[in-house]
């Protein structure tokens, strides 16, 4: 089995599900002949036809709204928003329609759609191409928010997202698209949409992260191991539904938690995890909680993006701070 | 000067303001008896609207948007639909909804603040009332795309207001429908007002029908107080769409005779005189004049119809008032196909809270 | 001096600032002849003309984008979005432009605009008229988010928002619009945009809230006082910039904190306050933090909205829970 | 059938594909020497674009969007502007930006990932490059509104692509500009592609100029490879706008001869043959033919111009490369007029982190 990177894994999942289920439709800007600006939909139009893999006009609100209409008819649209920097016009359709079509019709209609979008900084992209808006989506009742951190995860979670009967926002960290490869069997096995993944076990401190930041978090755990600090690393992956049980259980053992994400800290999703720990796990805490996040500034252009992205050093420093408490 | 493109916007009317035939009637309208169901539907709508406003005034439902004066647009439109088509209404469509099979009880539930009102027992695939203005236009495009992909001879029919045509949503949807030649019909109910904003402040376009030109689709303007014209134009557009001829935009010229909603007081921003004048154009009297003139309607029928409508509406009101409140935990139902685990404690808490409350 | 309700106070602030500063312009749907669907802009068009008080076409993205253009030319647009349920199409302009025009041009251009919008449940309004999206705005770097809780606060904070040289999202709780009146002198005195207000002093527990929920929070404090529990009540008011110093100082004294807001809890703004307390105030905590919030569901239609809005009883119960820890 | 509205779209061209005069030249173009500055501007743009692509290939700037083949649209448009007007460009406008007074060093800084590149020293009130497609259209309307309110004889000029016309933003802005008769000009640079999506998939409208009809404003189509036609149409629209005659939409027909950006490989989705054919229409050779034919340009001038452009570009590159990196804490600067207190510790941390990093 050949190793594939995350974009290829996403492409595999899309192809797998399109072959298996004739209701799956892929739409977006440049998803057809071009195969997506990141190549995530490459060859799909050739294989499944221009009816099921369609280039839309340049209009993000439209892409989301058309997906709602398709989904209400039982299609399973997988829409691509080319970058999350351009996803905001689609928000109205997500908040006011996709997330509540089932709810407001008491189950008469539903909205089984996936909105895929590349996100995050670190690839020297132009302005507006590097933001991390996951917290906004996680605040919307009625949608799921999923972020893969590896090719394997991307394949299994995307399958699950497409099969899920409700809307899923699927955010793909561009920085990971081609960062590393894994063997990904094309076995059609979905991964759960409501579970954190413990990707490294440890007993001294819990590090919770997702998406591209998981990468630096794991590097930090490596560095800490050198000093004898054994970090447990959790890939939160399905921000919504958030699997607090796994996090609480881990922090219950370690007594310390550092949450790492690239989005600005203020009202970021890390706050939700902190808040739940402070509500439900406070008595187990041996040290203040820490968040290591992007600063509360506009994501800078490429010259400064590395200074914006939470670094291994910042994560290690935060762990050192929490380890000071005995 | 070279001209590379030229366009015309057609205007359609069959019955003039007084109900006189102003041009040869289309086939379906030649037998006046065939028009009686449309007449009955308009009267039922008006009876229902009147009652709904009264219910709001007495605190028995919430804010309500009456279609007073515009009945011909919804009724004419839906009169042309087939059951298998999908209707995507705005919030001011009692006539159209009733004709689709939505019950008055459901409508009262909805406006009374109960989600069960959108669980239509009959047009199962129709969209619920759309409150965010214009946002249903792209749903119509998506529904139509599904029809096309599955080679179904069905059409998605979207109704929206003059104000809605100012939303990017509307434009993006008709533009996409044009590109893909989708089986979709967009009916703009131009009642000259968007709350307090007059038509002239929505757009400098002479007609709203000409917005179709931007999307490269058919656009036509009809007298929206002439139910025959509305029905004819919509049927023609449906036929075209069903045959793969692509989408259309129909602007129906009418007038909102009432307040925007029960929360509105239109005397703040428009002249009573204007409203008075526009009563002379309203659609129900116009069709009645025609029917009477054709010998298909009389005083007895009229009285019987009013009695029947009043009774049907009252029955619906009684049924509505008898519907028990939903339990608080109902707000967790249908949020997802299955309630996710993290939400279960919240649901339990909500249920318990009400137990104490 | 006559007493005024919150809508009137807002109207007073708008009129005051329009009279003082010819650059202030009011725009939105129905703000002209109709004076706003809630009457917040009543008489302004008559007084200041249709050039400075303009009804726009029905298009929220447009309203925000036009405001950005006006502001770049040095006008001070105060735009009204009729209900926050319809604000989402405007988000693109807020995130991608208003919030960063100064930043991305290194101060060459700027965006002194205010986006006012009524929000929240509790007035038996139709579908889509009752949401509380403040957390989404608070996550956006480069904007301020302000929520008044009384006529006095509305007057002073709105003046400050209009005078502020950067974009301010000003969310007005419809439930408070006419709930009570206060004497509000039309003295042109602005209130600070980066300070919490301690509205009741107490030493047993800190209650932090904002907007309409502050009302139930104060009622809860009354009820608790009957039992001898002295609650300190903080009106967070300027969510962004968040004045954590005041909250930390209070919780430092009380050791207990309950945060109350109407928006769904998950990734709501209460999480940010909890998270900061867990980071910077953990050692003072005598009990787990608690959030009393709207449930993580679509805001229900009117029949159930009271069951959705955090009740006095839920707040009191939460305080009882934290008081159990000694 | 009654027709209630009819419309025509005009097409303008003065120089044909070979540079021959195809209809009497407008006043400003009659003296060929007056056209030389436009020619020089187009050549400078192409020289700069070529260099910028090369800099991206060698990792010295980030992704870059070249205007190769479209130079006449930006140059013709900006050639008609007055300094006090406000220009709202898209990201593919090197020619237009240069003519506005934006320096090449600033442009390289921007594409090199440095915000200082948008701090134009000269057109202080122009908007920076707009990346979210079409979102600058409403800014243009807002700027124009400010001009109108203050009775300034200035015009807001917005440039956007064929793809951008599919965005609701574009439509909402032209519609509002129409309602208020704002002094705004919208120039659609139709280069037939939006990345890989061909013009035909953006809209079924025969022309993009006819989108103006939906807004009730002037719309005209011009040969966008004929800088005279572009400049003439824009000047006419500016005059009209300045005189209170309201906004216009100009569709300039051109072709994107290069890849969408340096991150794109257009061979994946379009025929090399098509591109080859379109080279015959490109604007620079066309104007040169005309100038040479009129005796206003020759081999010496051409050589000197290329040498001069190359040197100017190289100087700008050198200056750009000499600009020191901004310190990390610069990301906190200009976020607000004054850095709010809660952000100060973050700024300090960012500065310290870099000290260690
Ligand atoms: C997107 C959006 N913005 C604002 C509102 C508030 N609002 C409700 S109805 C209305 C006017 C709609 O006018 P029009 O489209 O002409 O329909 P009509 O009410 O006249 O039937 C407005 C502004 C809304 N519901 N949706
Ligand atoms: C709102 C938005 N959606 C998507 C993108 C990604 N994108 C960048 S350029 C482009 C195509 C734009 O085409 P067009 O408007 O014709 O301009 P051109 O690039 O041809 O000059 C797309 C889809 C974007 N920048 N903004
Ligand atoms: Mg209307
Ligand atoms: Mg293009």
């Amino acid at each position: 089995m050949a190793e594939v990177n995350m974009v290829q894994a996403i492409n595999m999942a899309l192809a797998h599900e399109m072959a298996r289920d004739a209701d799956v439709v892929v739409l977006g800007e440049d998803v057809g002949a071009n195969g997506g600006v990141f190549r995530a939909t490459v060859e799909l139009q050739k294989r499944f036809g221009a009816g099921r893999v369609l280039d839309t006009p340049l209009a993000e609100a439209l892409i989301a709204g058309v997906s709602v209409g398709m989904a209400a008819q039982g299609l399973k649209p997988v829409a691509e928003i080319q970058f999350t920097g351009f996803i905001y016009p689609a928000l109205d359709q997500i908040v006011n329609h996709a997330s509540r079509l089932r709810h407001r019709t008491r189950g008469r209609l539903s909205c089984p759609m996936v909105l895929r979008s590349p996100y995050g900084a670190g690839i020297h992209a132009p302005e507006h191409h590097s933001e991390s808006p996951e917290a906004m989506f996680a605040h919307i009742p009625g949608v799921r928010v999923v972020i893969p951190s590896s090719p394997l995860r991307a394949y299994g979670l995307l399958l699950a997202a497409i099969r899920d009967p409700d809307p899923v926002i699927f955010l793909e960290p561009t920085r990971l698209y081609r960062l590393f490869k894994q063997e990904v069997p094309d076995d059609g096995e979905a991964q759960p949409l409501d579970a954190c993944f413990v990707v490294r076990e440890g007993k001294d401190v819990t590090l919770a992260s997702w998406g591209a930041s998981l990468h630096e978090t794991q590097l930090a755990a490596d560095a800490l191991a050198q000093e004898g600090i054994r970090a447990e690393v959790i890939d939160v992956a399905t921000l919504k539904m958030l699997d607090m049980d796994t996090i609480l259980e881990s922090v219950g053992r370690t007594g310390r938690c550092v949450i790492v994400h690239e989005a600005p800290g203020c009202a970021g999703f890390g706050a939700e995890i902190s808040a739940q720990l402070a509500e439900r796990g406070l008595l187990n805490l041996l040290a203040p909680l820490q968040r290591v996040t992007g600063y509360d500034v506009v994501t800078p252009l490429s010259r400064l993006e590395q200074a914006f992205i939470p670094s291994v050093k910042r994560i290690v420093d935060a762990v050192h701070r929490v380890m000071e408490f005995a | 000067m070279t001209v590379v493109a030229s366009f015309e916007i057609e205007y359609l009317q069959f019955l003039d303001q007084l109900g006189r035939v102003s041009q040869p009637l289309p086939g379906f309208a030649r037998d006046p008896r065939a028009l009686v169901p449309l007449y009955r539907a308009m009267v039922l709508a008006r009876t229902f609207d009147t009652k709904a406003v009264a219910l709001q005034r007495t605190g028995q439902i919430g804010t309500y948007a009456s279609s007073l004066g515009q009945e011909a647009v919804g009724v004419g439109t839906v009169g042309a639909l087939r059951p298998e088509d999908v209707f995507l209404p705005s919030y001011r469509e009692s006539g159209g909804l009733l004709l689709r099979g939505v019950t008055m009880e459901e409508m009262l539930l909805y406006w009374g603040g109960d989600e069960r009102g959108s669980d239509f027992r009959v047009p199962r695939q129709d969209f619920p009332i759309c409150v965010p203005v214009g946002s249903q236009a792209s749903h119509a495009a998506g529904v139509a795309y599904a029809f096309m992909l599955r080679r179904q001879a069905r059409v998605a029919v979207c109704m929206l207001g003059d104000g809605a045509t100012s939303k990017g949503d509307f434009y993006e949807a008709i533009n996409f429908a044009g590109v893909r030649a989708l089986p979709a019909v967009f009916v703009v109910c131009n009642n000259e007002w968007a709350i307090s904003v007059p038509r002239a402040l929505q757009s400098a376009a002479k007609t709203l029908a000409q917005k179709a030109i931007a999307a490269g689709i058919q656009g036509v303007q009809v007298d929206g107080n002439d139910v025959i014209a509305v029905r004819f134009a919509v049927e023609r557009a449906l036929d075209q769409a069903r045959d793969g001829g692509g989408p259309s935009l129909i602007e129906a010229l009418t007038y909102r005779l009432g307040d925007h909603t029960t929360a509105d007081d239109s005397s703040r921003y428009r002249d009573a005189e204007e409203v008075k004048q526009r009563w002379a154009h309203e659609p129900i009297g116009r069709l009645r004049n025609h029917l009477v003139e054709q010998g298909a309607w009389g005083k007895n029928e009229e009285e019987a119809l009013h009695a029947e409508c009043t009774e049907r509406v009252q029955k619906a009101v009684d049924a509505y008032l008898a519907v028990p409140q939903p339990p608080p935990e109902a707000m967790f139902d249908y949020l997802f196909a299955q309630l996710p685990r993290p939400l279960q404690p919240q649901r339990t808490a909500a249920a318990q809270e009400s137990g104490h409350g």
Side-chain angles (χ1 to χ4, degrees), chain A, chain B:
Chain A
M1 191 175 4
E3 296 204 320
V4 299
N5 63 29
M6 188 186 282
V7 192
Q8 292 166 321
I10 287 164
N11 185 258
M12 273 169 59
L14 290 170
H16 186 97
E17 213 51 16
M18 291 196 82
R20 206 183 65 85
D21 183 348
D23 286 330
V24 177
V25 164
V26 164
L27 69 159
E29 296 157 11
D30 306 291
V31 298
N34 195 34
V37 296
F38 283 106
R39 339 275 326 116
T41 58
V42 79
E43 298 296 321
L44 295 181
Q45 190 177 64
K46 226 180 248 163
R47 193 161 155 206
F48 300 103
R52 288 181 63 202
V53 182
L54 64 142
D55 282 327
T56 63
L58 204 169
E60 285 75 13
L62 175 84
I63 293 172
V66 161
S67 298
V68 171
M70 289 172 163
Q73 277 294 310
L75 291 179
K76 294 183 181 158
V78 183
E80 176 176 306
I81 300 292
Q82 201 161 84
F83 284 90
T84 45
F86 315 126
I87 210 169
Y88 304 103
L91 215 73
D92 184 43
Q93 288 291 339
I94 308 296
V95 175
N96 279 330
H97 292 296
S99 70
R100 58 176 85 185
L101 191 56
R102 183 191 295 280
H103 190 262
R104 62 195 289 260
T105 63
R106 304 280 88 190
R108 181 169 63 81
L109 299 175
S110 63
C111 196
M113 66 180 270
V114 178
L115 202 71
R116 294 180 42 242
S117 192
Y119 89 104
I123 58 163
H124 271 67
E127 205 173 4
H128 300 285
H129 286 67
S130 304
E131 285 71 13
S132 300
E134 69 268 23
M136 287 191 180
F137 292 103
H139 189 49
I140 305 170
V143 301
R144 293 176 183 274
V145 181
V146 176
I147 299 180
S149 61
S150 71
L152 267 168
R153 205 77 84 210
Y155 177 83
L157 290 173
L158 183 52
L159 284 182
I162 302 173
R163 292 173 195 168
D164 192 80
D166 291 302
V168 179
I169 311 296
F170 195 87
L171 300 175
E172 304 165 1
T174 54
R175 193 146 56 88
L176 300 187
Y177 265 164
R178 299 188 164 82
L179 190 68
F180 62 99
K181 295 189 171 193
Q182 282 176 325
E183 286 199 358
V184 179
D186 190 6
D187 55 8
E189 285 292 324
Q191 295 195 19
L193 286 186
D194 52 4
C196 287
F197 300 90
V198 178
V199 295
R200 178 188 187 116
E201 297 190 353
K203 53 188 257 330
D204 298 326
V205 58
T206 301
L207 307 181
S209 187
W210 55 88
S213 284
L214 189 72
H215 181 67
E216 283 77 32
T217 304
Q218 286 178 295
L219 294 179
D222 289 342
L224 291 163
Q226 302 285 322
E227 318 171 13
I229 299 174
R230 285 147 305 179
E232 180 141 313
V233 178
I234 295 179
D235 178 2
V236 177
T238 62
L239 273 62
K240 194 161 188 175
M241 296 299 152
L242 175 62
D243 169 19
M244 269 313 288
D245 294 347
T246 298
I247 299 173
L248 282 164
E249 189 278 326
S250 173
V251 178
R253 281 185 283 104
T254 62
R256 296 174 176 88
C257 184
V258 175
I259 301 155
V260 186
H261 63 72
E262 189 174 306
C266 181
F269 194 73
E272 177 61 28
I273 298 176
S274 276
Q276 291 212 34
L277 284 169
E279 279 155 29
R280 302 165 63 193
L282 188 89
L283 303 183
N284 294 318
L285 290 183
L286 302 172
L289 297 171
Q290 293 283 307
R291 289 176 291 167
V292 180
T293 71
Y295 299 112
D296 288 315
V297 300
V298 171
T299 310
L301 293 184
S302 61
R303 278 192 164 185
L304 291 186
E305 67 180 341
Q306 286 305 331
F308 173 83
I309 296 172
S311 63
V312 173
K313 176 174 175 305
R314 285 180 63 204
I315 304 167
V316 168
D317 286 352
V319 171
H320 285 161
R321 281 197 300 277
V322 299
M323 294 310 295
E324 274 170 25
F325 295 80
Chain B
M1 189 185 96
T2 320
V3 169
V4 284
S6 54
F7 310 93
E8 287 185 340
I9 298 296
E10 176 195 9
Y11 173 82
L12 273 176
Q13 184 204 58
F14 295 99
L15 292 185
D16 73 9
Q17 183 181 340
L18 300 174
R20 290 172 309 208
V21 173
S22 56
Q23 67 162 312
L25 294 178
F28 76 86
R30 280 187 209 135
D31 179 353
R33 284 168 305 181
L35 299 175
V36 168
L38 298 178
Y39 181 72
R40 298 174 61 92
M42 292 197 291
V43 172
L44 181 60
R46 190 167 294 181
T47 314
F48 178 77
D49 279 337
T50 308
K51 184 68 179 182
V53 170
L55 288 172
Q56 190 282 332
R57 299 286 182 232
T58 53
Q60 293 171 287
I61 63 171
T63 303
Y64 183 74
S66 163
S67 69
L68 181 66
Q70 315 177 183
E71 295 88 350
V73 184
V75 166
T77 297
V78 171
L81 265 65
R82 296 193 189 156
E84 67 268 26
D85 294 335
V86 163
F87 185 50
L88 299 101
S90 93
Y91 45 79
R92 196 190 301 287
E93 310 296 349
S94 47
L97 290 182
L98 289 169
L99 214 52
R100 281 299 282 171
V102 178
T103 67
M104 291 183 274
E105 187 186 330
E106 285 163 351
M107 286 163 65
L108 291 171
L109 273 171
Y110 178 78
W111 294 106
D114 192 321
E115 286 80 358
R116 287 173 290 185
S118 293
D119 184 13
F120 307 154
R121 264 157 295 176
V122 168
R124 293 297 290 170
Q125 295 188 27
D126 280 9
F127 266 61
I129 279 175
C130 186
V131 169
V133 166
S135 62
Q136 79 275 40
S138 53
H139 305 160
V143 168
Y145 194 91
F147 294 161
M148 195 186 65
L149 190 66
R150 290 167 165 167
R151 302 179 189 284
Q152 299 171 337
R154 304 166 67 189
V155 184
V157 179
C158 176
M159 278 194 67
L160 21 73
D162 46 306
T165 66
S166 296
K167 286 283 289 186
D169 290 352
F170 161 75
Y171 166 73
E172 291 183 356
I174 62 171
N175 187 55
F176 176 66
V179 172
R180 299 286 169 172
L182 298 180
V185 176
F186 300 88
V187 179
V188 172
C189 180
N190 176 359
N191 63 6
E192 297 196 16
W193 292 93
I195 310 185
S196 72
V197 181
R199 160 68 181 81
L201 286 185
Q202 289 297 341
S203 183
K206 190 178 168 201
T207 69
L208 298 178
Q210 77 201 51
K211 307 240 169 198
I213 297 169
I217 69 173
Q218 288 290 325
V220 61
Q221 192 182 59
V222 305
D223 184 334
N225 290 339
D226 173 7
V227 73
I228 299 176
V230 175
R231 197 186 141 154
F232 173 78
V234 174
E235 195 154 55
R236 188 173 66 175
L238 285 167
D239 288 346
Q240 172 188 311
R242 233 182 281 283
D243 292 354
S248 312
L249 175 66
I250 297 168
E251 176 190 13
L253 293 171
T254 181
Y255 190 83
R256 198 193 77 208
L257 289 172
D259 290 334
H260 169 68
T261 64
T262 51
D264 177 50
D265 171 6
S266 59
S267 71
R268 286 202 188 103
Y269 53 80
R270 73 175 180 184
D271 221 18
E273 195 47 44
E274 173 183 313
V275 181
K276 214 173 120 192
Q277 279 171 19
R278 303 307 290 265
W279 265 101
H281 298 255
E282 70 83 33
I284 295 185
R286 180 186 305 207
L287 182 59
R288 186 171 50 235
N289 287 349
H290 174 69
L291 293 178
V292 168
E293 200 259 333
Q294 300 284 310
W297 196 254
K299 204 163 172 282
N300 294 346
E301 286 86 350
E302 184 74 8
E303 276 170 11
L305 176 60
H306 280 279
E308 179 197 326
C309 288
T310 307
E311 194 195 319
R312 285 180 61 189
V313 169
Q314 190 54 50
K315 263 202 184 139
V317 172
D318 295 342
Y320 157 67
L321 293 173
V323 175
Q325 297 289 319
E329 60 273 25
M331 69 176 101
F332 291 86
D333 298 340
Y334 304 108
L335 185 63
F336 294 96
Q338 285 199 335
L339 191 66
R341 203 158 25 95
L343 288 172
Q344 282 160 12
Q346 292 189 25
R347 185 177 190 277
T348 307
Q352 280 170 354
E353 158 104 356
S354 77
H356 297 101

